[in-house]
Amino acid sequence: MNWRELQNKNITLIGGAVSGGLDSCTSTHWLTSKGFDVTGGTVDLGQPDEENIGAIADRMRGCGAVDAFIVPAHEALADAGLKVIQAQARYEGGYWNTTGIARPVTVQALLQEFETRDIPVLFHGATGRGNDQVRFQIATNMLRPDMDVYAPWRDPEFVAEFPGRQQMLEYCEKHDLPIKPASESRYSTDANFLGLTHEAGDLEDVTVSPFFVEPGMGVWAWDAPDTPQSVTVRWEEGEPKSIDGETGSVAELFEKANTVAGAHGLGIGLHTVENRFVGIKSRGIYEAPGMELLGQTYDLLLQFVLDRRARQLFDQLSAFISNQIYQGYWLDLGTTAALSALEPINRLVTGTVTVRLYKGNLSFETAEDTPEAMPHSLYTDDSSMEALGSYDHADAEGFLKVLEVSARNVGSRQYPQLGR
């Protein structure tokens, strides 16, 4: 879809999912110049890189928007982030999906506001080569099937005028738009209180060290304190309840975890060259200190709770949910069913874990292993080398005799031919 098609439908009102960054400023002014009445919508996700979230609305008005608003979504993002942790949904093994999970939260919050303003079109500044265009599109289609989605980066006229970030910077400077100076825009950052995603610009060159990036949620590991810190996290029925005895809502505990973990470089500067949904690779530098602290302590408790078969099921669900989030399908039947399948496991995750943070690393220290503190743990003295428990060593004799039947058959009939 291009802007002329919208005008041919007699559409003049258009609402943007705007962050106040380079793409938002450029597309807002450009659409205004084409005759659209642009409303800029920003969802307050506790962006660490915004000292004053309200300034984004002022910035959008300065770029030509007829109106701009800020809508809060801290609790919604915290709830979604907790589900990511409960699923251990790391994309391709490392990235905590902090941007991917924020997109449906953002769209849902914006569409509720757009509906009250009778805005029929949502536009966004996501590139036509990335994942976010898919996430915005699919979330909007599922929540408001009647709403059009316009992406400037997929409009041939827009792309012809702005083939890259440099042209956008020059455009903004030419029209005196309120953006950060070009010298501060060596890369692009997407932010929410779950994590920061740094991409594009100089980060696309893998021959360049990424350490020119200034962490926004902590410090690089080598700049962390030389003294380790022990941190205790209490979980009850799959939800965090306290960090070092300090209680609060899930959103508040995320903020606490960010502060504690970020100070020690945990989850700061994760580097990955990943497979985008559209089939190309990208390089990202990620920060997610609170997700790393809460996520790893949750995983430690899962080790006490899951038996062998439940672990196999959990790992399959985890991989599925991670891909669903990354590809934009957070709201569909598959994700809904997979999350429901995790609910019985979540109810069993109760316990108190103490870990040690040091120079970007987290190490397990202790768990309060009592029936009261960890009532659903399967860790018992049955495996102890110090006490007999309820498991008699002699009982394993029959078990091994059953196993040896197939093993002997392999040894006599197959192994000699395997060439190993």
Side-chain angles (χ1 to χ4, degrees):
M1 176 182 292
N2 59 46
W3 67 273
R4 296 181 190 277
E5 292 178 75
L6 293 176
Q7 288 193 339
N8 289 339
K9 292 182 177 181
N10 295 318
I11 292 174
T12 58
L13 295 176
I14 185 168
V18 297
S19 65
L22 181 61
D23 289 331
S24 297
C25 291
T26 304
S27 55
T28 295
H29 188 273
W30 190 80
L31 285 168
T32 298
S33 73
K34 303 300 182 186
F36 290 97
D37 292 329
V38 177
T39 293
T42 302
V43 180
D44 184 355
L45 301 172
Q47 291 88 328
D49 60 342
E50 288 290 345
E51 295 182 5
N52 177 14
I53 192 76
I56 295 178
D58 295 334
R59 207 177 305 159
M60 291 300 97
R61 293 188 185 97
C63 293
V66 296
D67 196 8
F69 63 85
I70 311 292
V71 58
H74 283 69
E75 297 303 326
L77 182 61
D79 180 67
L82 177 58
K83 288 182 170 63
V84 173
I85 286 175
Q86 290 170 340
Q88 294 290 291
R90 293 172 176 260
Y91 182 66
E92 295 192 340
Y95 169 46
W96 274 109
N97 269 308
T98 58
T99 296
I101 195 60
R103 295 314 187 211
V105 173
T106 295
V107 171
Q108 191 157 26
L110 288 177
L111 293 188
Q112 292 172 353
E113 186 67 26
F114 286 167
E115 190 169 11
T116 66
R117 298 165 183 256
D118 295 322
I119 294 175
V121 179
L122 178 143
F123 83 86
H124 59 78
T127 172
R129 296 174 179 170
N131 301 305
D132 281 337
Q133 60 171 338
V134 179
R135 296 161 181 164
F136 279 116
Q137 184 85 32
I138 292 176
T140 304
N141 294 158
M142 290 185 178
L143 292 168
R144 284 280 305 275
D146 60 322
M147 176 172 272
D148 285 324
V149 178
Y150 170 71
W153 274 103
R154 299 202 300 269
D155 186 327
E157 289 190 42
F158 184 89
V159 175
E161 190 168 347
F162 307 108
R165 288 172 55 82
Q166 185 58 42
Q167 290 74 24
M168 297 173 76
L169 286 166
E170 292 170 358
Y171 178 88
C172 291
E173 290 171 352
K174 174 182 176 181
H175 294 282
D176 197 26
L177 303 184
I179 63 166
K180 296 178 180 179
S183 60
E184 297 180 18
S185 302
R186 294 184 63 186
Y187 55 91
S188 175
T189 297
D190 189 274
N192 62 67
F193 69 74
L194 298 181
L196 302 183
T197 301
H198 307 297
E199 292 180 319
D202 291 348
L203 285 174
E204 292 179 350
D205 186 350
V206 296
T207 67
V208 175
S209 167
F211 302 136
F212 62 83
V213 172
E214 295 185 12
M217 300 182 77
V219 299
W220 292 108
W222 46 85
D223 292 326
D226 294 328
T227 303
Q229 178 180 352
S230 294
V231 180
T232 300
V233 182
R234 174 67 180 174
W235 290 86
E236 294 180 6
E237 297 184 357
E239 294 191 8
K241 294 299 179 180
S242 67
I243 298 176
D244 288 337
E246 183 177 323
T247 61
S249 67
V250 176
E252 290 169 340
L253 290 176
F254 266 118
E255 297 285 4
K256 171 71 173 177
N258 282 333
T259 300
V260 174
H264 289 273
L266 184 68
I268 301 294
L270 171 68
H271 174 273
T272 180
V273 176
E274 68 203 47
N275 292 298
R276 286 180 175 172
F277 187 28
V278 295
I280 57 179
K281 286 187 178 290
S282 65
R283 179 203 198 185
I285 303 295
Y286 299 121
E287 303 181 43
M291 292 288 287
E292 196 71 24
L293 173 57
L294 293 176
Q296 287 202 45
T297 56
Y298 195 83
D299 183 53
L300 287 168
L301 289 175
L302 286 173
Q303 294 175 29
F304 286 90
V305 169
L306 298 178
D307 63 25
R308 183 170 53 199
R309 293 166 301 283
R311 169 56 77 176
Q312 290 175 345
L313 173 63
F314 179 88
D315 288 346
Q316 292 174 21
L317 291 171
S318 176
F320 175 78
I321 293 170
S322 179
N323 285 330
Q324 287 280 99
I325 297 170
Y326 191 82
Q327 295 177 5
Y329 289 97
W330 175 248
L331 300 171
D332 78 352
L333 174 61
T335 304
T336 302
L339 292 173
S340 295
L342 288 180
E343 288 180 4
I345 294 174
N346 297 335
R347 291 198 299 269
L348 299 180
V349 181
T350 293
T352 303
V353 177
T354 298
V355 294
R356 181 173 296 189
L357 308 183
Y358 181 67
K359 298 288 186 181
N361 295 304
L362 178 150
S363 300
F364 172 77
E365 282 200 70
T366 63
E368 291 189 22
D369 185 21
T370 66
E372 296 77 24
M374 199 183 301
H376 309 299
S377 170
L378 299 180
Y379 184 75
T380 67
D381 64 357
D382 291 334
S383 63
S384 174
M385 301 298 291
E386 306 300 330
L388 184 60
S390 61
Y391 187 103
D392 190 333
H393 294 260
D395 290 342
E397 184 67 22
F399 176 64
L400 268 296
K401 284 187 176 297
V402 171
L403 296 180
E404 79 175 16
V405 173
S406 62
R408 287 181 184 277
N409 284 333
V410 170
S412 62
R413 302 185 181 191
Q414 295 181 348
Y415 186 77
Q417 304 303 317
L418 296 180
R420 295 177 58 193

